[in-house]
Amino acid sequence: MGLNPESIPSAARAALIGGISANGITRQFPLFIKTEKLSNSCCYLSQRSPDTATPAELQGKISAVCIRTLESIISIMLLQPVSAVNTVEEQRARWERKRRRTAKELVETEQKYLEQLDLVTTYFVTILKAKGTLQPAVREAIFGRLESIHCTSQILLFHLERGHLGLGLEGFCQNMELYGHYAENLEQAKKTLQEQVKKNKAFCRFKKLQESRPEFLGWQLEDLLPLPLQRLHQYKHLFRDLMENSSPDSVEFQHLAKAVKSVSEVSQWVHSTICSRENSMQLLRVQKLLKGRKTKVLTPGRWYIQEGWLMVVPTKGEEVKRKMFFLFSDILIATKPCHPLHPLNSDKFSCQAVYPLNQCTVDKVFGHTQSQGGLLSLSFPHKTLLLMSSNQEDINNWYLNLTAAIRQLKARPTLIHQKEYLTEQPVSSREAHTVQKMCQDL
């Protein structure tokens, strides 16, 4: 509410007008005397001062309040634009400091990275070429495109040390695919290296001699081979930090944006390569765990998800059976352990059934709350499978992985997966009948 002049005693009004006029406030800021904060302050003083107070006493008190209030208003209205300008300049200065720190870090880490690559190219690749200790095909299998990556890093560092970031990144992005090919060959390179250390005594002696040099600082060749992939991860963060702290109008910003995109694409390539390799190892492991070769686990496009023990609850009055299940992206395999006294298969599992997931529906019967375990219902066209676990977290993981696998499977074309199911050989006659029915449906 604004100030009502009639509510102020006559002596207070005279002191207010006199105090403001005496300080020259009305001439410079005529609008400020109408503010609510100023009005409320005047009302407060007028109410505390009796009508018998002298105008001089009220004038001093009210003038002090008016001056303090108006000073705060003036500072807000006049100094705020200056403060905003200062804030923008300070932010730009912070960005520039961050950019310089990141650029310095990029140069220093690139120098260290190049020194480590020099150890491999100088003391291994170059000397092995001259001595002929390894066959050219074997040497290429171990070191791959490491020499080309080393040359690319030399050129990049040459431009970075001279402050030519844009020019260095332009040539660097053109050779980013070297890192992707190197990642694809890395696992085979490690295997070939291990084989040569075991079989080739001359190479084994040469390797130990070179690794004993003081320049290696205790590193072994096996430690230096993954360096390009580790450096690729650093490139991703360093280039992004440089881009985020650079002006979008600068020429370097465009080169940095292109470099970030190229590194991200190659990083995804490398990540997919690593995941595919790990998945192949899991498929091979499960294939070796299963007795016989009736169940084909190694199938293109199949991904390993989960494995574990679950209790199978029969629909009729039979006893609960404990079985080992293997979940993949398109099938669920139910197995039981072989006899522990079997001379060949004591540590393996016997496949009992293969359940295709393309026609499966999963429901959680119980286990929604923090209870002891839970029960899942897997519905197929000709069978319902009840799986139980006493572990709440375990049953939740099975439910989430099953639903995710079924959802992704149904989102993809199903014809290829249906053909894969036809090659599976279920043990039970009921499952065989199900597969035959699927053939008729197709």
PDB file of all heavy atoms in Angstrom, residues 298-329:
ATOM      1  N   LEU A 298      26.882 -70.290 -30.645  1.00  0.00           N
ATOM      2  CA  LEU A 298      27.636 -69.346 -31.483  1.00  0.00           C
ATOM      3  C   LEU A 298      26.866 -69.068 -32.765  1.00  0.00           C
ATOM      4  O   LEU A 298      27.004 -69.768 -33.770  1.00  0.00           O
ATOM      5  CB  LEU A 298      29.014 -69.923 -31.796  1.00  0.00           C
ATOM      6  CG  LEU A 298      29.982 -70.024 -30.603  1.00  0.00           C
ATOM      7  CD1 LEU A 298      31.204 -70.834 -30.975  1.00  0.00           C
ATOM      8  CD2 LEU A 298      30.392 -68.629 -30.167  1.00  0.00           C
ATOM      9  N   THR A 299      26.043 -68.041 -32.711  1.00  0.00           N
ATOM     10  CA  THR A 299      25.224 -67.633 -33.857  1.00  0.00           C
ATOM     11  C   THR A 299      25.432 -66.156 -34.122  1.00  0.00           C
ATOM     12  O   THR A 299      25.413 -65.353 -33.185  1.00  0.00           O
ATOM     13  CB  THR A 299      23.732 -67.918 -33.582  1.00  0.00           C
ATOM     14  OG1 THR A 299      23.559 -69.313 -33.323  1.00  0.00           O
ATOM     15  CG2 THR A 299      22.870 -67.522 -34.766  1.00  0.00           C
ATOM     16  N   PRO A 300      25.646 -65.741 -35.365  1.00  0.00           N
ATOM     17  CA  PRO A 300      25.829 -64.313 -35.673  1.00  0.00           C
ATOM     18  C   PRO A 300      24.623 -63.480 -35.230  1.00  0.00           C
ATOM     19  O   PRO A 300      23.470 -63.874 -35.424  1.00  0.00           O
ATOM     20  CB  PRO A 300      25.980 -64.295 -37.201  1.00  0.00           C
ATOM     21  CG  PRO A 300      26.455 -65.665 -37.548  1.00  0.00           C
ATOM     22  CD  PRO A 300      25.809 -66.590 -36.563  1.00  0.00           C
ATOM     23  N   GLY A 301      24.885 -62.363 -34.620  1.00  0.00           N
ATOM     24  CA  GLY A 301      23.826 -61.471 -34.172  1.00  0.00           C
ATOM     25  C   GLY A 301      23.288 -61.764 -32.792  1.00  0.00           C
ATOM     26  O   GLY A 301      22.455 -61.013 -32.286  1.00  0.00           O
ATOM     27  N   ARG A 302      23.763 -62.810 -32.153  1.00  0.00           N
ATOM     28  CA  ARG A 302      23.276 -63.179 -30.820  1.00  0.00           C
ATOM     29  C   ARG A 302      24.162 -62.547 -29.763  1.00  0.00           C
ATOM     30  O   ARG A 302      25.380 -62.531 -29.868  1.00  0.00           O
ATOM     31  CB  ARG A 302      23.256 -64.694 -30.666  1.00  0.00           C
ATOM     32  CG  ARG A 302      22.835 -65.179 -29.275  1.00  0.00           C
ATOM     33  CD  ARG A 302      22.638 -66.682 -29.287  1.00  0.00           C
ATOM     34  NE  ARG A 302      21.507 -67.046 -30.133  1.00  0.00           N
ATOM     35  CZ  ARG A 302      21.277 -68.269 -30.593  1.00  0.00           C
ATOM     36  NH1 ARG A 302      22.132 -69.247 -30.318  1.00  0.00           N
ATOM     37  NH2 ARG A 302      20.225 -68.511 -31.345  1.00  0.00           N
ATOM     38  N   TRP A 303      23.529 -62.040 -28.700  1.00  0.00           N
ATOM     39  CA  TRP A 303      24.265 -61.374 -27.625  1.00  0.00           C
ATOM     40  C   TRP A 303      23.975 -62.052 -26.299  1.00  0.00           C
ATOM     41  O   TRP A 303      22.827 -62.360 -25.981  1.00  0.00           O
ATOM     42  CB  TRP A 303      23.891 -59.889 -27.546  1.00  0.00           C
ATOM     43  CG  TRP A 303      24.466 -59.090 -28.660  1.00  0.00           C
ATOM     44  CD1 TRP A 303      23.938 -58.941 -29.911  1.00  0.00           C
ATOM     45  CD2 TRP A 303      25.676 -58.344 -28.643  1.00  0.00           C
ATOM     46  NE1 TRP A 303      24.750 -58.154 -30.676  1.00  0.00           N
ATOM     47  CE2 TRP A 303      25.822 -57.760 -29.931  1.00  0.00           C
ATOM     48  CE3 TRP A 303      26.645 -58.105 -27.683  1.00  0.00           C
ATOM     49  CZ2 TRP A 303      26.908 -56.960 -30.258  1.00  0.00           C
ATOM     50  CZ3 TRP A 303      27.734 -57.305 -28.008  1.00  0.00           C
ATOM     51  CH2 TRP A 303      27.861 -56.749 -29.282  1.00  0.00           C
ATOM     52  N   TYR A 304      25.044 -62.273 -25.551  1.00  0.00           N
ATOM     53  CA  TYR A 304      24.923 -62.839 -24.209  1.00  0.00           C
ATOM     54  C   TYR A 304      24.438 -61.752 -23.238  1.00  0.00           C
ATOM     55  O   TYR A 304      24.890 -60.607 -23.284  1.00  0.00           O
ATOM     56  CB  TYR A 304      26.270 -63.382 -23.750  1.00  0.00           C
ATOM     57  CG  TYR A 304      26.333 -63.737 -22.287  1.00  0.00           C
ATOM     58  CD1 TYR A 304      25.921 -64.981 -21.834  1.00  0.00           C
ATOM     59  CD2 TYR A 304      26.798 -62.817 -21.350  1.00  0.00           C
ATOM     60  CE1 TYR A 304      25.979 -65.315 -20.488  1.00  0.00           C
ATOM     61  CE2 TYR A 304      26.872 -63.139 -20.006  1.00  0.00           C
ATOM     62  CZ  TYR A 304      26.453 -64.376 -19.581  1.00  0.00           C
ATOM     63  OH  TYR A 304      26.504 -64.698 -18.251  1.00  0.00           O
ATOM     64  N   ILE A 305      23.502 -62.139 -22.343  1.00  0.00           N
ATOM     65  CA  ILE A 305      22.937 -61.174 -21.398  1.00  0.00           C
ATOM     66  C   ILE A 305      23.179 -61.585 -19.949  1.00  0.00           C
ATOM     67  O   ILE A 305      23.752 -60.834 -19.164  1.00  0.00           O
ATOM     68  CB  ILE A 305      21.424 -60.982 -21.642  1.00  0.00           C
ATOM     69  CG1 ILE A 305      21.175 -60.447 -23.060  1.00  0.00           C
ATOM     70  CG2 ILE A 305      20.831 -60.016 -20.604  1.00  0.00           C
ATOM     71  CD1 ILE A 305      19.711 -60.287 -23.409  1.00  0.00           C
ATOM     72  N   GLN A 306      22.760 -62.797 -19.584  1.00  0.00           N
ATOM     73  CA  GLN A 306      22.776 -63.157 -18.169  1.00  0.00           C
ATOM     74  C   GLN A 306      22.716 -64.669 -18.024  1.00  0.00           C
ATOM     75  O   GLN A 306      22.250 -65.390 -18.928  1.00  0.00           O
ATOM     76  CB  GLN A 306      21.575 -62.513 -17.446  1.00  0.00           C
ATOM     77  CG  GLN A 306      21.525 -62.729 -15.948  1.00  0.00           C
ATOM     78  CD  GLN A 306      20.292 -62.099 -15.316  1.00  0.00           C
ATOM     79  OE1 GLN A 306      19.471 -61.520 -16.015  1.00  0.00           O
ATOM     80  NE2 GLN A 306      20.160 -62.220 -14.017  1.00  0.00           N
ATOM     81  N   GLU A 307      23.183 -65.148 -16.866  1.00  0.00           N
ATOM     82  CA  GLU A 307      23.051 -66.560 -16.523  1.00  0.00           C
ATOM     83  C   GLU A 307      22.896 -66.682 -15.012  1.00  0.00           C
ATOM     84  O   GLU A 307      23.291 -65.777 -14.264  1.00  0.00           O
ATOM     85  CB  GLU A 307      24.269 -67.353 -16.984  1.00  0.00           C
ATOM     86  CG  GLU A 307      25.554 -66.971 -16.276  1.00  0.00           C
ATOM     87  CD  GLU A 307      26.747 -67.719 -16.832  1.00  0.00           C
ATOM     88  OE1 GLU A 307      27.103 -67.489 -18.006  1.00  0.00           O
ATOM     89  OE2 GLU A 307      27.317 -68.538 -16.075  1.00  0.00           O
ATOM     90  N   GLY A 308      22.307 -67.795 -14.563  1.00  0.00           N
ATOM     91  CA  GLY A 308      22.134 -67.981 -13.134  1.00  0.00           C
ATOM     92  C   GLY A 308      21.172 -69.116 -12.816  1.00  0.00           C
ATOM     93  O   GLY A 308      20.488 -69.652 -13.691  1.00  0.00           O
ATOM     94  N   TRP A 309      21.136 -69.461 -11.527  1.00  0.00           N
ATOM     95  CA  TRP A 309      20.266 -70.533 -11.053  1.00  0.00           C
ATOM     96  C   TRP A 309      18.887 -69.979 -10.732  1.00  0.00           C
ATOM     97  O   TRP A 309      18.761 -68.937 -10.098  1.00  0.00           O
ATOM     98  CB  TRP A 309      20.849 -71.184  -9.808  1.00  0.00           C
ATOM     99  CG  TRP A 309      22.122 -71.949 -10.059  1.00  0.00           C
ATOM    100  CD1 TRP A 309      23.387 -71.487  -9.900  1.00  0.00           C
ATOM    101  CD2 TRP A 309      22.232 -73.292 -10.509  1.00  0.00           C
ATOM    102  NE1 TRP A 309      24.297 -72.460 -10.224  1.00  0.00           N
ATOM    103  CE2 TRP A 309      23.610 -73.584 -10.600  1.00  0.00           C
ATOM    104  CE3 TRP A 309      21.313 -74.281 -10.844  1.00  0.00           C
ATOM    105  CZ2 TRP A 309      24.085 -74.824 -11.019  1.00  0.00           C
ATOM    106  CZ3 TRP A 309      21.788 -75.523 -11.249  1.00  0.00           C
ATOM    107  CH2 TRP A 309      23.156 -75.787 -11.337  1.00  0.00           C
ATOM    108  N   LEU A 310      17.845 -70.698 -11.168  1.00  0.00           N
ATOM    109  CA  LEU A 310      16.467 -70.359 -10.868  1.00  0.00           C
ATOM    110  C   LEU A 310      15.694 -71.640 -10.555  1.00  0.00           C
ATOM    111  O   LEU A 310      16.047 -72.725 -11.040  1.00  0.00           O
ATOM    112  CB  LEU A 310      15.790 -69.634 -12.037  1.00  0.00           C
ATOM    113  CG  LEU A 310      16.277 -68.210 -12.351  1.00  0.00           C
ATOM    114  CD1 LEU A 310      15.642 -67.708 -13.631  1.00  0.00           C
ATOM    115  CD2 LEU A 310      15.966 -67.264 -11.194  1.00  0.00           C
ATOM    116  N   MET A 311      14.646 -71.497  -9.755  1.00  0.00           N
ATOM    117  CA  MET A 311      13.783 -72.634  -9.415  1.00  0.00           C
ATOM    118  C   MET A 311      12.607 -72.670 -10.381  1.00  0.00           C
ATOM    119  O   MET A 311      11.914 -71.660 -10.573  1.00  0.00           O
ATOM    120  CB  MET A 311      13.273 -72.514  -7.978  1.00  0.00           C
ATOM    121  CG  MET A 311      14.371 -72.319  -6.927  1.00  0.00           C
ATOM    122  SD  MET A 311      15.500 -73.704  -6.841  1.00  0.00           S
ATOM    123  CE  MET A 311      14.425 -74.988  -6.218  1.00  0.00           C
ATOM    124  N   VAL A 312      12.388 -73.831 -10.993  1.00  0.00           N
ATOM    125  CA  VAL A 312      11.273 -74.027 -11.917  1.00  0.00           C
ATOM    126  C   VAL A 312      10.097 -74.598 -11.134  1.00  0.00           C
ATOM    127  O   VAL A 312      10.183 -75.703 -10.569  1.00  0.00           O
ATOM    128  CB  VAL A 312      11.656 -74.959 -13.075  1.00  0.00           C
ATOM    129  CG1 VAL A 312      10.476 -75.153 -14.018  1.00  0.00           C
ATOM    130  CG2 VAL A 312      12.851 -74.390 -13.833  1.00  0.00           C
ATOM    131  N   VAL A 313       9.005 -73.826 -11.096  1.00  0.00           N
ATOM    132  CA  VAL A 313       7.806 -74.247 -10.373  1.00  0.00           C
ATOM    133  C   VAL A 313       6.887 -74.970 -11.353  1.00  0.00           C
ATOM    134  O   VAL A 313       6.445 -74.379 -12.343  1.00  0.00           O
ATOM    135  CB  VAL A 313       7.074 -73.040  -9.752  1.00  0.00           C
ATOM    136  CG1 VAL A 313       5.841 -73.499  -8.988  1.00  0.00           C
ATOM    137  CG2 VAL A 313       8.029 -72.265  -8.849  1.00  0.00           C
ATOM    138  N   PRO A 314       6.594 -76.253 -11.131  1.00  0.00           N
ATOM    139  CA  PRO A 314       5.736 -76.989 -12.073  1.00  0.00           C
ATOM    140  C   PRO A 314       4.288 -76.531 -11.968  1.00  0.00           C
ATOM    141  O   PRO A 314       3.822 -76.084 -10.914  1.00  0.00           O
ATOM    142  CB  PRO A 314       5.905 -78.441 -11.621  1.00  0.00           C
ATOM    143  CG  PRO A 314       6.236 -78.347 -10.174  1.00  0.00           C
ATOM    144  CD  PRO A 314       7.045 -77.089 -10.009  1.00  0.00           C
ATOM    145  N   THR A 315       3.582 -76.629 -13.076  1.00  0.00           N
ATOM    146  CA  THR A 315       2.165 -76.249 -13.085  1.00  0.00           C
ATOM    147  C   THR A 315       1.311 -77.298 -12.385  1.00  0.00           C
ATOM    148  O   THR A 315       0.238 -76.996 -11.886  1.00  0.00           O
ATOM    149  CB  THR A 315       1.684 -76.080 -14.534  1.00  0.00           C
ATOM    150  OG1 THR A 315       1.976 -77.286 -15.270  1.00  0.00           O
ATOM    151  CG2 THR A 315       2.394 -74.903 -15.195  1.00  0.00           C
ATOM    152  N   LYS A 316       1.787 -78.529 -12.348  1.00  0.00           N
ATOM    153  CA  LYS A 316       1.059 -79.591 -11.659  1.00  0.00           C
ATOM    154  C   LYS A 316       1.756 -79.915 -10.344  1.00  0.00           C
ATOM    155  O   LYS A 316       2.693 -79.247  -9.951  1.00  0.00           O
ATOM    156  CB  LYS A 316       0.981 -80.832 -12.560  1.00  0.00           C
ATOM    157  CG  LYS A 316       0.225 -80.560 -13.860  1.00  0.00           C
ATOM    158  CD  LYS A 316       0.149 -81.814 -14.716  1.00  0.00           C
ATOM    159  CE  LYS A 316      -0.610 -81.535 -16.013  1.00  0.00           C
ATOM    160  NZ  LYS A 316      -0.680 -82.751 -16.885  1.00  0.00           N
ATOM    161  N   GLY A 317       1.323 -80.934  -9.683  1.00  0.00           N
ATOM    162  CA  GLY A 317       1.812 -81.242  -8.347  1.00  0.00           C
ATOM    163  C   GLY A 317       3.150 -81.928  -8.313  1.00  0.00           C
ATOM    164  O   GLY A 317       3.291 -82.953  -7.636  1.00  0.00           O
ATOM    165  N   GLU A 318       4.141 -81.423  -9.032  1.00  0.00           N
ATOM    166  CA  GLU A 318       5.484 -81.975  -8.982  1.00  0.00           C
ATOM    167  C   GLU A 318       6.352 -81.109  -8.081  1.00  0.00           C
ATOM    168  O   GLU A 318       5.988 -80.002  -7.697  1.00  0.00           O
ATOM    169  CB  GLU A 318       6.072 -82.058 -10.390  1.00  0.00           C
ATOM    170  CG  GLU A 318       5.226 -82.910 -11.355  1.00  0.00           C
ATOM    171  CD  GLU A 318       5.784 -82.880 -12.762  1.00  0.00           C
ATOM    172  OE1 GLU A 318       6.817 -82.199 -12.968  1.00  0.00           O
ATOM    173  OE2 GLU A 318       5.196 -83.527 -13.641  1.00  0.00           O
ATOM    174  N   GLU A 319       7.554 -81.580  -7.784  1.00  0.00           N
ATOM    175  CA  GLU A 319       8.438 -80.831  -6.904  1.00  0.00           C
ATOM    176  C   GLU A 319       9.178 -79.755  -7.697  1.00  0.00           C
ATOM    177  O   GLU A 319       9.364 -79.864  -8.912  1.00  0.00           O
ATOM    178  CB  GLU A 319       9.428 -81.782  -6.240  1.00  0.00           C
ATOM    179  CG  GLU A 319      10.352 -82.500  -7.212  1.00  0.00           C
ATOM    180  CD  GLU A 319      11.336 -83.417  -6.513  1.00  0.00           C
ATOM    181  OE1 GLU A 319      11.231 -83.547  -5.283  1.00  0.00           O
ATOM    182  OE2 GLU A 319      12.195 -83.996  -7.195  1.00  0.00           O
ATOM    183  N   VAL A 320       9.602 -78.731  -6.970  1.00  0.00           N
ATOM    184  CA  VAL A 320      10.340 -77.631  -7.586  1.00  0.00           C
ATOM    185  C   VAL A 320      11.730 -78.118  -7.979  1.00  0.00           C
ATOM    186  O   VAL A 320      12.393 -78.837  -7.217  1.00  0.00           O
ATOM    187  CB  VAL A 320      10.440 -76.441  -6.604  1.00  0.00           C
ATOM    188  CG1 VAL A 320      11.261 -75.327  -7.207  1.00  0.00           C
ATOM    189  CG2 VAL A 320       9.050 -75.946  -6.248  1.00  0.00           C
ATOM    190  N   LYS A 321      12.180 -77.731  -9.179  1.00  0.00           N
ATOM    191  CA  LYS A 321      13.475 -78.161  -9.695  1.00  0.00           C
ATOM    192  C   LYS A 321      14.387 -76.948  -9.892  1.00  0.00           C
ATOM    193  O   LYS A 321      13.962 -75.913 -10.389  1.00  0.00           O
ATOM    194  CB  LYS A 321      13.303 -78.901 -11.026  1.00  0.00           C
ATOM    195  CG  LYS A 321      12.491 -80.177 -10.902  1.00  0.00           C
ATOM    196  CD  LYS A 321      12.367 -80.883 -12.239  1.00  0.00           C
ATOM    197  CE  LYS A 321      11.554 -82.163 -12.112  1.00  0.00           C
ATOM    198  NZ  LYS A 321      11.427 -82.856 -13.420  1.00  0.00           N
ATOM    199  N   ARG A 322      15.637 -77.107  -9.503  1.00  0.00           N
ATOM    200  CA  ARG A 322      16.633 -76.048  -9.634  1.00  0.00           C
ATOM    201  C   ARG A 322      17.419 -76.253 -10.931  1.00  0.00           C
ATOM    202  O   ARG A 322      18.005 -77.315 -11.141  1.00  0.00           O
ATOM    203  CB  ARG A 322      17.574 -76.065  -8.431  1.00  0.00           C
ATOM    204  CG  ARG A 322      18.567 -74.919  -8.361  1.00  0.00           C
ATOM    205  CD  ARG A 322      19.241 -74.921  -7.000  1.00  0.00           C
ATOM    206  NE  ARG A 322      20.223 -73.858  -6.874  1.00  0.00           N
ATOM    207  CZ  ARG A 322      21.536 -74.018  -7.035  1.00  0.00           C
ATOM    208  NH1 ARG A 322      22.016 -75.226  -7.344  1.00  0.00           N
ATOM    209  NH2 ARG A 322      22.369 -73.013  -6.895  1.00  0.00           N
ATOM    210  N   LYS A 323      17.425 -75.223 -11.770  1.00  0.00           N
ATOM    211  CA  LYS A 323      18.085 -75.329 -13.070  1.00  0.00           C
ATOM    212  C   LYS A 323      18.923 -74.089 -13.340  1.00  0.00           C
ATOM    213  O   LYS A 323      18.682 -73.012 -12.792  1.00  0.00           O
ATOM    214  CB  LYS A 323      17.054 -75.509 -14.196  1.00  0.00           C
ATOM    215  CG  LYS A 323      16.246 -76.799 -14.103  1.00  0.00           C
ATOM    216  CD  LYS A 323      15.316 -76.943 -15.284  1.00  0.00           C
ATOM    217  CE  LYS A 323      14.516 -78.253 -15.186  1.00  0.00           C
ATOM    218  NZ  LYS A 323      13.603 -78.414 -16.349  1.00  0.00           N
ATOM    219  N   MET A 324      19.906 -74.285 -14.223  1.00  0.00           N
ATOM    220  CA  MET A 324      20.753 -73.179 -14.663  1.00  0.00           C
ATOM    221  C   MET A 324      20.204 -72.634 -15.979  1.00  0.00           C
ATOM    222  O   MET A 324      19.971 -73.399 -16.924  1.00  0.00           O
ATOM    223  CB  MET A 324      22.190 -73.647 -14.850  1.00  0.00           C
ATOM    224  CG  MET A 324      23.105 -72.651 -15.526  1.00  0.00           C
ATOM    225  SD  MET A 324      23.386 -71.154 -14.564  1.00  0.00           S
ATOM    226  CE  MET A 324      24.597 -71.754 -13.394  1.00  0.00           C
ATOM    227  N   PHE A 325      19.999 -71.313 -16.021  1.00  0.00           N
ATOM    228  CA  PHE A 325      19.450 -70.674 -17.219  1.00  0.00           C
ATOM    229  C   PHE A 325      20.497 -69.738 -17.818  1.00  0.00           C
ATOM    230  O   PHE A 325      21.243 -69.056 -17.102  1.00  0.00           O
ATOM    231  CB  PHE A 325      18.182 -69.891 -16.876  1.00  0.00           C
ATOM    232  CG  PHE A 325      16.978 -70.759 -16.635  1.00  0.00           C
ATOM    233  CD1 PHE A 325      16.728 -71.276 -15.377  1.00  0.00           C
ATOM    234  CD2 PHE A 325      16.102 -71.056 -17.670  1.00  0.00           C
ATOM    235  CE1 PHE A 325      15.610 -72.078 -15.143  1.00  0.00           C
ATOM    236  CE2 PHE A 325      14.997 -71.860 -17.446  1.00  0.00           C
ATOM    237  CZ  PHE A 325      14.752 -72.371 -16.185  1.00  0.00           C
ATOM    238  N   PHE A 326      20.524 -69.709 -19.145  1.00  0.00           N
ATOM    239  CA  PHE A 326      21.370 -68.794 -19.901  1.00  0.00           C
ATOM    240  C   PHE A 326      20.468 -67.934 -20.785  1.00  0.00           C
ATOM    241  O   PHE A 326      19.746 -68.464 -21.631  1.00  0.00           O
ATOM    242  CB  PHE A 326      22.379 -69.560 -20.768  1.00  0.00           C
ATOM    243  CG  PHE A 326      23.346 -70.407 -19.979  1.00  0.00           C
ATOM    244  CD1 PHE A 326      23.049 -71.729 -19.685  1.00  0.00           C
ATOM    245  CD2 PHE A 326      24.542 -69.878 -19.525  1.00  0.00           C
ATOM    246  CE1 PHE A 326      23.939 -72.521 -18.966  1.00  0.00           C
ATOM    247  CE2 PHE A 326      25.441 -70.653 -18.791  1.00  0.00           C
ATOM    248  CZ  PHE A 326      25.128 -71.976 -18.516  1.00  0.00           C
ATOM    249  N   LEU A 327      20.533 -66.623 -20.569  1.00  0.00           N
ATOM    250  CA  LEU A 327      19.691 -65.695 -21.314  1.00  0.00           C
ATOM    251  C   LEU A 327      20.523 -65.002 -22.383  1.00  0.00           C
ATOM    252  O   LEU A 327      21.582 -64.430 -22.096  1.00  0.00           O
ATOM    253  CB  LEU A 327      19.075 -64.649 -20.380  1.00  0.00           C
ATOM    254  CG  LEU A 327      18.241 -63.546 -21.046  1.00  0.00           C
ATOM    255  CD1 LEU A 327      17.031 -64.142 -21.769  1.00  0.00           C
ATOM    256  CD2 LEU A 327      17.798 -62.516 -20.006  1.00  0.00           C
ATOM    257  N   PHE A 328      20.023 -65.041 -23.609  1.00  0.00           N
ATOM    258  CA  PHE A 328      20.643 -64.354 -24.736  1.00  0.00           C
ATOM    259  C   PHE A 328      19.642 -63.375 -25.333  1.00  0.00           C
ATOM    260  O   PHE A 328      18.510 -63.254 -24.861  1.00  0.00           O
ATOM    261  CB  PHE A 328      21.111 -65.363 -25.790  1.00  0.00           C
ATOM    262  CG  PHE A 328      22.108 -66.361 -25.261  1.00  0.00           C
ATOM    263  CD1 PHE A 328      21.689 -67.570 -24.731  1.00  0.00           C
ATOM    264  CD2 PHE A 328      23.461 -66.087 -25.286  1.00  0.00           C
ATOM    265  CE1 PHE A 328      22.597 -68.486 -24.229  1.00  0.00           C
ATOM    266  CE2 PHE A 328      24.386 -66.992 -24.791  1.00  0.00           C
ATOM    267  CZ  PHE A 328      23.950 -68.193 -24.264  1.00  0.00           C
ATOM    268  N   SER A 329      20.059 -62.688 -26.361  1.00  0.00           N
ATOM    269  CA  SER A 329      19.194 -61.657 -26.944  1.00  0.00           C
ATOM    270  C   SER A 329      17.990 -62.225 -27.666  1.00  0.00           C
ATOM    271  O   SER A 329      17.022 -61.499 -27.916  1.00  0.00           O
ATOM    272  CB  SER A 329      20.007 -60.797 -27.921  1.00  0.00           C
ATOM    273  OG  SER A 329      20.583 -61.608 -28.941  1.00  0.00           O
TER     274      SER A 329
END
